[in-house]
Amino acid sequence: MSKVSTQPVTTNLSVPKTTKKSYLNKIGFGFLYLILGAFAIIQIYPLIWLVFFSLKTNQEVFGMSPFSLPQDPNWENYTRAWTSGNIGLYFFNSVWITILSVVLTTILASLVTFAVTRMHWKLSGLVLGLFLVAYMIPLHSTIIPLFNMYNNVNLIDSPVSIVLSYTTFNLPLTIMILLGFYRTFPREIEEAAVMDGCSVHRIFFQITLPMTVPVLSTTAIINMIYNWNEFVFVNTFISSDKWKTLTVGINNFVGQYLTDWGAIGATLVISIIPILLTFLFLSNKIVEGMAAGSVKG
Amino acid sequence: MKNVMSNKFVITLYTLPALLLILVLIYIPITLSGYYGLMDWDGIGEMKFIGLENYVTLVQDKVFWTSTWHSFQLAIFSAVSLLLYLGISLVLASKIKGSDLLRKIYLIPMLLSSVAIAQLWMKIFDPNNGMANRLLEIFGVENTPLWLADPEIALYSIFIPVIWQYAGFYILIYYAALKNVPDEVIEAAKIDGANALQIAFRIKLPLISGIFKVTIMLAVVGSLKYFDLIYVMTGGGPNGASEVMASYMYKEAFKLNNFGYGSALGFGLLVICLVMTWLTSKLTKSNDDVQF
């Protein structure tokens, strides 16, 4: 209402200035676009450069300007990267370890969040606090004792140690994101179900869980990115090639081929393609999850 | 109704698995870290109790304090760079065309693994064939730096990809916060004759100060435990020039097999991180409720 009544007044006032102002405005806007565009180039160009050198021969890399385009795309780098290392195996390990951990984290976190926000018990605050405080503990401080514990139960060099670690260390963040959703979510449907004599398990699995699918997919994607990119746990707990994931695998592989830029570039491109594809199709979910994960509420 | 929803058995069933995981894999290890710090131990043989010796060594260890100083430099640098991200977000959020696309482009490096980023930037910093030095040559710089191989600048060279990696993340947060500033407030200010700068500094920034404080804490604490990129790019070298707290701990434990001293360092890292979390939240706390 107030907008409608005041608008004519302001336009009237600013009429004499408009020509001068819009001219300045244009220059200002052009300048701002220049900054934003330059920043976009800084963020994206290193990756384009990576794709370029992944398609170059060694002569091109060492003999020509780094900014030159690959003359004749050398796809052979990709076949060499894929066949000479264990990239295929690392890729497979990354996929199943990531998926299994994401599923476990999401289910366990949902159960906890449900119990804390929907059920009535005295210690719920304390339990929730334990999860939230765990978020502040740097994982590096746990890594030596964890190594020793896994070692004592023969889980060193076993993917079980990796799945357990991924599942556990993602619980606090996942619960934090879920909590925001559960707290604002109406509980009338669940209460009605209780009245109708529904069991808790049915309420959780058939009512609550399906209703939280939007936030579950957000947390799943965020977890997926973290697990896919994780390095320290695998680097510390896994020693045989059989169970290495892509991050650690390519790090070792690339270390061996210091001078073969083409193969290194191709390996790196292979490792980031799944994430970039996910981003291409689900960027809104990722943006939402990253914002929710950092700033609760 | 109370009966079903306060069934002790169901509550235990739902919470115990996750609770056991965080107790066994997070809380017990950090306690053990402090305990192992009291031992002389190579990780394989017998532990020997030596009291506070490791912690005394730690306090007198020059390398530890240098590494800590490096971590704090990264923290300060990250916190200051937040202002840059804030500036960019202000522009982005001022109803500019294509802001959605730009924001997503900025975010892409954040999605990559530290290993991929480290390996890529090692190539960018390659003194002979890398992009960085050729760019400097184009701008007429003659004595191009050695980047990661030069002890004087190795640490600061690593700061560049760190900025590159996280910029999009913070811009995303600020952008979301700025978009939450109600249009009515800005319209009202415009009607009162405020210009774009006044709106930015007097209205938008104060309204998102709560988020800004949260990001300061994220940046500071995140920097203090920063590890992956440095471990891959330089391993803390050359000659300790880019060593940070976490990389020093890792090296002591898993390269030199000093599990006892490494645990003491890990415990030190934990204490410093928790103290800084508390301190930044105290320093930045005002009347707004900062949720974290």
Side-chain angles (χ1 to χ4, degrees), chain B residues 12-269:
Chain B
T12 315
L13 190 70
Y14 281 17
T15 49
L16 202 61
L19 198 59
L20 276 179
L21 281 177
I22 67 156
L23 287 178
V24 174
L25 299 183
I26 299 181
Y27 283 101
I28 291 180
I30 53 162
T31 319
L32 281 177
S33 178
Y35 170 71
Y36 290 165
L38 304 170
M39 304 288 164
D40 179 18
W41 182 38
D42 61 3
I44 310 157
E46 286 286 300
M47 286 187 208
K48 201 179 113 205
F49 183 79
I50 52 169
L52 290 173
E53 203 176 295
N54 281 328
Y55 293 98
V56 173
T57 315
L58 183 147
V59 173
Q60 296 167 343
D61 184 352
K62 268 199 179 148
V63 183
F64 171 72
W65 290 113
T66 315
S67 311
T68 308
W69 168 231
H70 290 160
S71 293
F72 272 87
Q73 275 179 288
L74 179 61
I76 295 165
F77 179 79
S78 304
V80 171
S81 60
L82 291 178
L83 294 173
L84 168 77
Y85 311 146
L86 190 59
I88 289 173
S89 315
L90 274 173
V91 178
L92 262 189
S94 61
K95 298 210 173 90
I96 228 166
K97 269 183 212 146
S99 64
D100 206 44
L101 179 69
L102 283 169
R103 197 164 51 110
K104 284 173 185 168
I105 290 177
Y106 296 161
L107 191 65
I108 288 175
M110 182 69 196
L111 307 170
L112 311 181
S113 69
S114 296
V115 170
I117 293 175
Q119 294 291 353
L120 169 60
W121 281 82
M122 282 160 81
K123 293 291 175 255
I124 291 176
F125 284 142
D126 186 285
N128 300 316
N129 308 297
M131 181 165 91
N133 272 355
R134 188 55 63 95
L135 203 63
L136 288 179
E137 280 166 16
I138 291 172
F139 285 106
V141 178
E142 278 175 13
N143 294 322
T144 49
L146 290 173
W147 302 104
L148 302 169
D150 181 348
E152 295 278 315
I153 60 163
L155 181 69
Y156 308 111
S157 305
I158 294 175
F159 288 0
I160 299 172
V162 176
I163 277 223
W164 184 76
Q165 181 180 11
Y166 283 98
F169 174 66
Y170 289 110
I171 290 174
L172 169 88
I173 296 174
Y174 294 147
Y175 182 88
L178 286 166
K179 280 288 164 195
N180 275 338
V181 174
D183 273 342
E184 291 79 21
V185 179
I186 294 163
E187 287 301 324
K190 274 186 190 157
I191 290 164
D192 289 344
N195 62 32
L197 280 180
Q198 284 171 323
I199 290 176
F201 283 98
R202 299 264 176 88
I203 295 171
K204 286 184 179 171
L205 290 185
L207 280 174
I208 65 158
S209 63
I211 300 285
F212 190 65
K213 288 163 186 171
V214 173
T215 57
I216 289 180
M217 184 148 83
L218 282 178
V220 168
V221 180
S223 302
L224 292 179
K225 55 187 184 193
Y226 206 73
F227 174 77
D228 297 14
L229 202 73
I230 292 173
Y231 177 79
V232 175
M233 285 180 88
T234 63
N239 201 12
S242 60
E243 200 83 83
V244 291
M245 284 192 280
S247 68
Y248 183 48
M249 178 218 81
Y250 202 84
K251 184 189 276 175
E252 280 290 333
F254 296 104
K255 281 233 173 80
L256 306 174
N257 286 329
N258 293 328
F259 272 57
Y261 190 50
S263 297
L265 289 169
F267 197 68
L269 173 69

Side-chain angles (χ1 to χ4, degrees), chain A residues 3 6-7 10 29 32-33 35-37 39-40 42-47 49-50 53 61-62 64-67 108 111-112 114-116 118-121 127 129-131 133-138 140-151 164-165 167-169 171-172 176 191 194-195 198-201 203-205 225 229 231-232 235-236 247-248 250-251 254-255 258 261 264 268 271-272 275-276 279 283-284 286-287 290-291 294-297, chain B residues 1-2 4-7 10-11 13-15 17-19 21-30 32-33 36 41 43 47 84-85 88 91-92 94-98 100 102-116 119-121 123-124 126 129-131 134-135 138 163-165 167-169 171-173 176 184 187 191 211 214 218 221 225-228 231-232 246 249-250 253-254 259 262-263 266-267 269-270 273-274 277 291-292:
Chain A
K3 250 189 209 170
T6 45
Q7 222 140 26
T10 43
F29 260 96
L32 292 180
Y33 264 111
I35 295 176
L36 292 179
F39 199 68
I42 293 172
Q43 291 301 94
I44 199 78
Y45 186 73
L47 288 174
W49 187 69
L50 168 67
F53 86 68
V61 169
F62 297 119
M64 297 172 66
S65 162
F67 293 106
L108 291 177
L111 286 168
V112 171
F114 179 81
V116 166
R118 294 297 192 265
M119 302 186 75
H120 314 280
W121 43 302
V127 167
L130 279 174
F131 282 102
V133 170
Y135 186 65
M136 295 179 198
I137 290 167
H140 304 94
S141 297
T142 63
I143 203 140
I144 297 171
L146 272 182
F147 179 85
N148 194 40
M149 285 163 64
Y150 287 136
N151 203 16
L164 280 176
S165 307
T167 305
T168 308
F169 280 81
L171 280 174
M176 267 167 66
E191 280 164 7
V194 173
M195 297 295 190
C198 224
S199 77
V200 183
H201 303 306
I203 294 175
F204 176 72
F205 284 104
I225 294 173
N229 290 336
F231 174 74
V232 187
N235 193 49
T236 313
T247 47
V248 174
I250 61 166
N251 198 39
V254 161
L258 278 176
W261 283 47
I264 294 172
L268 295 179
S271 82
I272 61 183
I275 294 286
L276 289 185
F279 189 56
S283 59
N284 288 331
I286 294 177
V287 164
M290 290 220 158
S294 58
V295 188
K296 191 163 61 87
Chain B
M1 137 157 210
K2 282 258 169 186
V4 192
M5 287 313 237
S6 50
N7 183 325
V10 175
I11 291 168
L13 190 70
Y14 281 17
T15 49
L19 198 59
L21 281 177
I22 67 156
L23 287 178
V24 174
L25 299 183
I26 299 181
Y27 283 101
I28 291 180
I30 53 162
L32 281 177
S33 178
Y36 290 165
W41 182 38
M47 286 187 208
L84 168 77
Y85 311 146
I88 289 173
V91 178
L92 262 189
S94 61
K95 298 210 173 90
I96 228 166
K97 269 183 212 146
D100 206 44
L102 283 169
R103 197 164 51 110
K104 284 173 185 168
I105 290 177
Y106 296 161
L107 191 65
I108 288 175
M110 182 69 196
L111 307 170
L112 311 181
S113 69
S114 296
V115 170
Q119 294 291 353
L120 169 60
W121 281 82
K123 293 291 175 255
I124 291 176
D126 186 285
N129 308 297
M131 181 165 91
R134 188 55 63 95
L135 203 63
I138 291 172
I163 277 223
W164 184 76
Q165 181 180 11
F169 174 66
I171 290 174
L172 169 88
I173 296 174
E184 291 79 21
E187 287 301 324
I191 290 164
I211 300 285
V214 173
L218 282 178
V221 180
K225 55 187 184 193
Y226 206 73
F227 174 77
D228 297 14
Y231 177 79
V232 175
M249 178 218 81
Y250 202 84
F254 296 104
F259 272 57
S263 297
F267 197 68
L269 173 69
L270 172 76
C273 281
L274 291 183
T277 307
Q291 291 190 327
F292 196 68

Side-chain angles (χ1 to χ4, degrees), chain A residues 168-230:
Chain A
T168 308
F169 280 81
N170 280 329
L171 280 174
L173 177 68
T174 308
I175 290 175
M176 267 167 66
I177 299 177
L178 291 180
L179 208 59
F181 193 84
Y182 271 78
R183 280 194 172 145
T184 57
F185 210 72
R187 36 181 93 195
E188 280 77 18
I189 304 176
E190 289 155 358
E191 280 164 7
V194 173
M195 297 295 190
D196 290 348
C198 224
S199 77
V200 183
H201 303 306
R202 272 193 69 189
I203 294 175
F204 176 72
F205 284 104
Q206 294 191 346
I207 299 174
T208 313
L209 214 51
M211 284 195 304
T212 55
V213 163
V215 70
L216 287 181
S217 61
T218 306
T219 57
I221 291 164
I222 293 301
N223 272 320
M224 190 204 100
I225 294 173
Y226 287 167
N227 292 346
W228 185 267
N229 290 336
E230 202 281 333

